Amino acid sequence: MSAPPQAKGAPIESKAQLVHYLEAGCKPAGDWRIGTEHEKFAFDQQTLKPLPYEDPAGGAKSIRRILEALTDRFGWSAIAEDGRPIALTKNGCNITLEPGGQVELSGAPLETIHQTCDEVHTHLHQVKEVCGPVGVGMIGLGFAPTWTRADMPWMPKSRYQIMKAYMPKRGKLGLDMMLRSCTVQTNLDFASESDMVRKFRVSLALQPVATALFANSPFVDGKPSGFLSYRSHIWTDTDPDRTGVPQFVFEEGMGFERYVDYALDVPMYFVYRDGQYLDASGQSFRDFLAGRLPLLPGEKPYESDWADHLTTLFPEVRLKRFLEMRGADGGPWKRLCALPALWVGLLYDEDALTAAEELVAGWTAADHQRLREEVPRLGLATQAPAGGNLRELARRMLEISAQGLKARARLDSAGESEVHFLNTLREIVDSGLSPAERKLESYRGRWNGDLAPLFREFEY
């Protein structure tokens, strides 16, 4: 959500340039890469409370001190806003802050899942090296299990203040999305417009299955919420203008221009000028394109304004110059590697992509919407459109992904393919129990209704 600001780029005079911006993402299969983003909560190991941006007592338990320690110890370069570090960058990776202090690694574009998993391991090792000695922990969950909205700090980023004011106008849970949720995402490439459309349709249709497999947020305010992925539920009451399952993706005529038309109709949040985020909330990018933006009358947008605007759309799969899979809860190390493996296996091999298309053929708009509504509560027990439940569909999805990964034949130094990264998901399907359901079992059993053990057992 919060990558460092873009350079301005070219001025935009026509809608055709916006379409071309997306088209420029097309690349031959040999140049396809894998990008993985994952967020986690930082907490005080003693109090089990979230970390503020700055420790009022001047101590080391703060988000700022973590960023500074990563810079000093591991050679990251800081990006500042108003003189305060709010992001780090190094070798194509960024570490950014979500509104409530969630720490996100936006990984470099890599060629294999082996490299992705190495990147995850290196990052979590560095985080542990700087956090452990000062009594700070990090944990991957879809939603903060015990902290209230009032407990959460706000990071000193002006774009978040604009969103903070606008979110409650469009939904009841937008602030919880900003402050108390964490996800893991995979970003993947496409070769052409038609390839993008195929991948978009398959991944959007199957996103609820990923949500069910990765469901890891059953607790809210210290008790079970009735949902397995409360993080996913939050998005159903955040902002209907920019969330959900855009049905036009499945319709005839889908392409780059159709997505541009959708994006133009999503109200803006802000415009970035001279190091400052200016409040454009609710205003129209169509008006901006015509030089009629009330905030900047007579001005037209730059390419960077379009790139920024695209980051403020939150459908379950998002198109930029690549496709973002957005349906999974944050989780432990193995699942951070499993998510890109799942989608790479499905989308980066022609036979696997064709098999995945057959898996979702004939699904209706009502099917897509029902899955979106029911999966956050029911998970793998949700009824599948063609009969049976999502557990059975997930098993087939994993089989297809494994076939795709085998066909890719990207081997590590020991001669292993990428298929084994799916093992943690196979265990979920074989047991029928999502991570959320296992945590609920522990809560009702050996944790005896106390969530403190959750932090100790699942800390990175």
Side-chain angles (χ1 to χ4, degrees), residues 104-153:
E104 176 177 8
L105 178 75
S106 297
L110 302 171
E111 293 185 44
T112 72
I113 309 297
H114 308 296
Q115 293 169 339
T116 295
C117 222
D118 287 344
E119 177 186 73
V120 170
H121 179 77
T122 298
H123 171 66
L124 294 179
H125 171 74
Q126 290 182 1
V127 165
K128 191 156 186 148
E129 285 286 302
V130 300
C131 289
V134 297
V136 169
M138 294 266 186
I139 191 168
L141 299 164
F143 192 80
T146 58
W147 308 331
T148 67
R149 192 186 288 180
D151 287 332
M152 303 307 297

Side-chain angles (χ1 to χ4, degrees), residues 379-393:
L380 292 170
T382 306
Q383 182 180 348
N389 58 30
L390 289 200
R391 180 184 177 190
E392 296 159 27
L393 190 62

Side-chain angles (χ1 to χ4, degrees), residues 140-142 182 184 186 207-217 228-229 231 327-332 334-343 375 380 397-398 421-422 424-425 428 434-436 439:
L141 299 164
C182 278
V184 52
T186 296
Q207 211 60 217
V209 188
T211 300
L213 281 168
F214 286 80
N216 193 32
S217 48
L228 300 178
S229 177
R231 181 209 59 83
D329 284 4
K334 283 185 178 179
R335 288 207 298 280
L336 302 182
C337 306
L339 186 76
L342 175 67
W343 291 114
V375 162
L380 292 170
M397 189 173 163
L398 287 174
F421 292 110
L422 298 177
T424 188
L425 302 181
I428 291 168
S434 66
K439 288 179 175 63

Side-chain angles (χ1 to χ4, degrees), residues 198-444:
R198 293 178 70 200
K199 288 173 176 173
F200 204 152
R201 287 173 174 166
V202 163
S203 59
L204 189 59
L206 290 175
Q207 211 60 217
V209 188
T211 300
L213 281 168
F214 286 80
N216 193 32
S217 48
F219 304 110
V220 176
D221 296 339
K223 57 185 185 296
S225 65
F227 292 88
L228 300 178
S229 177
Y230 191 76
R231 181 209 59 83
S232 182
H233 168 66
I234 280 172
W235 285 106
T236 66
D237 196 1
T238 288
D239 184 342
D241 293 330
R242 66 188 77 236
T243 61
V245 182
Q247 289 299 326
F248 67 83
V249 172
F250 302 104
E251 296 170 1
E252 191 174 341
M254 172 56 188
F256 292 121
E257 185 174 4
R258 183 65 188 85
Y259 195 85
V260 166
D261 286 332
Y262 158 70
L264 285 172
D265 289 329
V266 174
M268 297 173 65
Y269 279 150
F270 52 74
V271 178
Y272 186 77
R273 287 292 183 275
D274 302 319
Q276 298 294 321
Y277 287 98
L278 309 179
D279 189 347
S281 55
Q283 297 180 30
S284 163
F285 208 98
R286 287 190 189 275
D287 288 343
F288 202 3
L289 195 59
R292 297 195 302 265
L293 191 71
L295 176 68
L296 297 171
E299 283 197 36
K300 293 214 174 174
Y302 290 94
E303 194 174 87
S304 61
D305 296 318
W306 181 237
D308 283 343
H309 181 58
L310 291 175
T311 70
T312 69
L313 281 58
F314 306 125
E316 290 296 285
V317 175
R318 178 163 67 187
L319 174 63
K320 294 196 283 192
R321 281 176 163 168
F322 45 83
L323 287 166
E324 293 182 355
M325 315 293 124
R326 298 175 42 81
D329 284 4
W333 181 76
K334 283 185 178 179
R335 288 207 298 280
L336 302 182
C337 306
L339 186 76
L342 175 67
W343 291 114
V344 165
L346 287 166
L347 303 183
Y348 272 11
D349 175 73
E350 176 62 27
D351 290 342
L353 180 57
T354 299
E357 286 175 319
E358 292 169 358
L359 202 58
V360 301
W363 290 13
T364 65
D367 290 330
H368 296 301
Q369 190 55 37
R370 180 182 61 78
L371 291 176
R372 179 68 193 92
E373 292 170 359
E374 294 182 3
V375 162
R377 188 184 295 275
L378 300 176
L380 292 170
T382 306
Q383 182 180 348
N389 58 30
L390 289 200
R391 180 184 177 190
E392 296 159 27
L393 190 62
R395 192 185 302 280
R396 179 65 185 132
M397 189 173 163
L398 287 174
E399 290 170 355
I400 295 170
S401 178
Q403 292 164 5
L405 293 174
K406 283 177 188 170
R408 267 169 58 82
R410 301 300 179 91
L411 308 182
D412 64 12
S413 57
E416 279 236 48
S417 78
E418 298 164 312
V419 176
H420 70 93
F421 292 110
L422 298 177
N423 287 347
T424 188
L425 302 181
R426 287 197 183 102
E427 291 168 8
I428 291 168
V429 169
D430 288 345
S431 70
L433 295 175
S434 66
E437 288 162 300
R438 292 209 178 274
K439 288 179 175 63
L440 286 166
E441 282 185 347
S442 296
Y443 174 82
R444 292 168 179 141

